[in-house]
Amino acid sequence: MSGPAQAPDTPITDIAQLVDYMAQGCKPAAEWRIGTEHEKLAYTIDDFRPLPYEGPYGIQRLLNELQRFGWQPVTEGGKVIALTMDNQSITLEPGGQFELSGAPLETIHQTCIEVGTHLKQVRQVGQEMGIAMAGLGMQPKWRRQDIPVMPKGRYGIMSAYMPKKGNLGLDMMFRTCTVQVNLDFASEADMVQKFRIGLALQPLATALFASSPFTEGKPNGFLSFRSHIWTDTDPDRSGMLPFVFEDGMGFERYVQHALDVPMYFVYRDGKYIDASGQSFRDFLAGKLPAYPGQLPTLRDWADHITTLFPEVRLKRYLEMRGADGGPWGRLCALPALWTGLLYDASAQDAAWDLCKDWTHEERARLRVETPKYGLATPFRGGDLRPVAKAMIEIAQSGLRARKRISPAGEDETHFLSPLVRIVETGITPAEELLALYHGRWNRSVDPIFTELAY
């Protein structure tokens, strides 16, 4: 059992404090919640260009206008860089991708209302400003150098460090969008099993949600180029984490892993201190070159673990990170999928039975090949489609067993409808987009910005 909660500014002198911090995420099933995060491309209606921070079409104005709905501003260096309200936050990714980090909610019904309310507010302000937003896994038209940079200190540090570790890190930062769900666990053993299921099945989510087949106006050879980008971003902090499947996996094993991932920064007095490539272990010993003689706090640890980017990430909850952004229905389908798989004991056991005998080599190959081939990825003498079908059926059974009924008398299973259609046809969203590109769109990606706008 974990000890009493520690204050965020508590100095850390012992790795056991870090392990205890993670263990404090354990909670009884009655207290489990669903947190949905989704990023969107924001652009001007007249020429589809990404929004700058300042000016009449700027992100700054958008953040200011949204405050009419009760959002409260968060500033950095005198500039509004985020909004908060009722346990929700609106934040900016490096290239102005517009993100809602939703509140911890009890049902998918509530999640979908939250998503719909946010999109309605954004649409209302956007119509006044001459801007719009679309759900897609990657910016389909503009080059990296065409994309404005948002004024957040940590992004400058990350931008300088990324090219040292991989070829596509800056594309990840400035041109991609995801939808993810954050889920709770009851105990260390429950966390480990959910972590393993999430990692093993994440490539199937990548296939089902694939919607990033274009780069700079042309097909890029992938269905989820966003997912592929992560394979060439920073091997220290991304990937499938084979150690999660080994004996001895638990909170301490993940902490030891995180301690070995190089740092990006230390945040003090409203400023980011560049510690890129330096060791949190050295920080624990008071020997961080960027901040000598100082010890980290739990707030520093919380910051550090947000700079790890595996396909499933452990904080004091688990984040499912494998899906491309998409339209409203798929923003509701993603949390429905993982909630169905992991929030009912029988469904969780069935999900583990589906993937527990997969080898490390099979999981690694699915991670690499699924972004390119989607549901047609070869697997054990067939392809991924029947596995995806089985996964969705397990999720449906888990949602049925939860019996979370809406005022209209529906359970949560209908939120999986977009995924049921995808697995029935075998055609991923990216393949639908490619068919439009080669057909009605006459080899142009511009219709995306009108036809896929929220």
Side-chain angles (χ1 to χ4, degrees), residues 293-347:
Q294 302 295 317
L295 290 173
T297 67
L298 284 175
R299 200 184 304 273
D300 293 320
W301 177 246
D303 281 343
H304 178 59
I305 58 177
T306 69
T307 69
L308 279 61
F309 306 122
E311 290 299 283
V312 177
R313 178 162 63 189
L314 176 64
K315 294 180 179 175
R316 287 197 280 191
Y317 45 82
L318 286 164
E319 300 180 348
M320 304 294 148
R321 296 173 38 83
D324 286 3
W328 179 82
R330 292 207 301 275
L331 298 182
C332 302
L334 189 277
L337 174 66
W338 291 110
T339 299
L341 291 170
L342 299 178
Y343 269 15
D344 171 72
S346 296

Side-chain angles (χ1 to χ4, degrees), residues 136 138-141 175 211-226 228 371-372 430-439 441-446 448:
L136 209 66
M138 181 174 174
Q139 166 58 249
K141 181 178 176 73
R175 296 206 284 186
S211 66
S212 44
F214 305 115
T215 304
E216 295 170 19
K218 296 184 175 63
N220 53 36
F222 289 81
L223 300 179
S224 176
F225 195 68
R226 183 207 63 83
H228 172 68
K372 191 171 184 69
E431 289 162 304
E432 291 184 356
L433 293 172
L434 287 165
L436 287 164
Y437 172 87
H438 290 294
W441 291 354
N442 198 22
R443 294 180 179 269
S444 171
V445 297
D446 285 0
I448 285 172

Side-chain angles (χ1 to χ4, degrees), residues 147-161:
I147 300 190
V149 181
M150 296 298 108
K152 292 176 70 170
R154 65 189 287 171
Y155 294 156
I157 293 168
M158 290 170 66
S159 295
Y161 183 73

